[in-house]
Amino acid sequence: MKTSNKFTLARVVFAPIFFIMYYLPVLTHSGMLAKISAFIMIPLLALAQLTDYWDGHYARKRNEVSDFGKLFDPFADVMLNLTLFLCAQGSVTGKGYMPIFLFVLILYREFSMNFLRMVAVSKGTAIAARKGGKFKTVFYIVSGFLMLALESLFRLGFAEQISAFVPVVRIILIVMFYICVLLSYLSFFDYIKTFSKIFSSKD
């Protein structure tokens, strides 16, 4: 396997590991696991996101750009980002951060985008990430890190100390999640417009 694809694969592997680490304290109500996860979640997500930079870096540096990589990279992004938003449905406080209908909308968008990529491949074209898609992903990541920062404070036992700021942060998070949905669909329609000839061409 090419070096760039190994970094992409690492992102896929990180997704279930991150999910287990996030939800284990929620399901077990273990204070010790909650504190351990609070110290690991953000660094782990940061490392996972860095693999997105590294796979692109090595793909260009070693001339490893391929149609497979153009499909595998966004697939890994979707795996990690959907996992992050799924985690946003729960919390050690018992109250999630992201409204479920926003998660469903993003889920539908990502599945639909994956379908478009498969259609394009069947017609001999690999759809690489466009600027709109990349900008959307950046917003996904920023929202996720803010959510994890707040959740980590809860897990470390600072709920009382930050109680005055929690409502404001939650509102900011919800607004950011709404923006994530908006950006995701804007980029989706951009893909449809850009590759409309491919999708409308006869087999």
Side-chain angles (χ1 to χ4, degrees):
M1 180 181 286
K2 297 177 180 178
T3 302
S4 56
N5 291 334
K6 288 180 180 179
F7 282 116
T8 306
L9 178 61
R11 203 150 63 256
V12 175
V13 174
F14 271 129
I17 294 175
F18 183 85
F19 178 81
I20 293 172
M21 181 174 298
Y22 186 94
Y23 267 107
L24 200 57
V26 177
L27 298 175
T28 62
H29 304 289
S30 169
M32 182 181 70
L33 288 178
K35 286 181 171 59
I36 292 173
S37 64
F39 286 109
I40 298 176
M41 288 189 303
I42 291 179
L44 181 62
L45 181 61
L47 182 60
Q49 296 295 353
L50 276 174
T51 65
D52 192 20
Y53 166 77
W54 288 330
D55 65 23
H57 172 74
Y58 281 100
R60 292 184 295 270
K61 182 179 180 180
R62 301 187 178 185
N63 195 28
E64 295 179 352
V65 178
S66 64
D67 288 345
F68 174 77
K70 291 178 182 178
L71 293 174
F72 194 28
D73 180 62
F75 169 77
D77 288 342
V78 169
M79 282 279 290
L80 185 59
N81 291 325
L82 286 182
T83 298
L84 183 59
F85 289 147
L86 185 57
C87 289
Q89 304 306 304
S91 168
V92 292
T93 65
K95 182 180 180 181
Y97 300 96
M98 184 183 207
I100 185 65
F101 73 92
L102 292 183
F103 172 74
V104 172
L105 286 174
I106 289 179
L107 186 70
Y108 287 166
R109 184 272 182 193
E110 297 298 349
F111 280 1
S112 298
M113 189 64 224
N114 188 54
F115 175 73
L116 291 185
R117 292 185 189 279
M118 289 189 295
V119 172
V121 168
S122 71
K123 296 176 181 294
T125 301
I127 299 179
R130 289 174 56 78
K131 289 183 178 180
K134 292 179 179 179
F135 183 66
K136 171 266 303 179
T137 300
V138 169
F139 225 87
Y140 279 10
I141 295 170
V142 173
S143 301
F145 274 115
L146 179 59
M147 182 272 290
L148 288 181
L150 182 58
E151 177 68 10
S152 295
L153 289 174
F154 284 135
R155 296 188 181 204
L156 291 172
F158 293 110
E160 184 176 346
Q161 290 88 334
I162 64 172
S163 59
F165 305 99
V166 171
V168 176
V169 176
R170 283 189 176 276
I171 291 174
I172 293 173
L173 269 173
I174 291 177
V175 171
M176 292 180 71
F177 288 141
Y178 269 99
I179 295 174
C180 285
V181 173
L182 176 62
L183 292 176
S184 71
Y185 277 88
L186 287 176
S187 67
F188 178 66
F189 293 133
D190 175 60
Y191 280 109
I192 293 178
K193 179 181 178 181
T194 303
F195 298 96
S196 59
K197 291 183 180 179
I198 296 174
F199 301 136
S200 62
S201 63
K202 295 181 179 179
D203 293 331

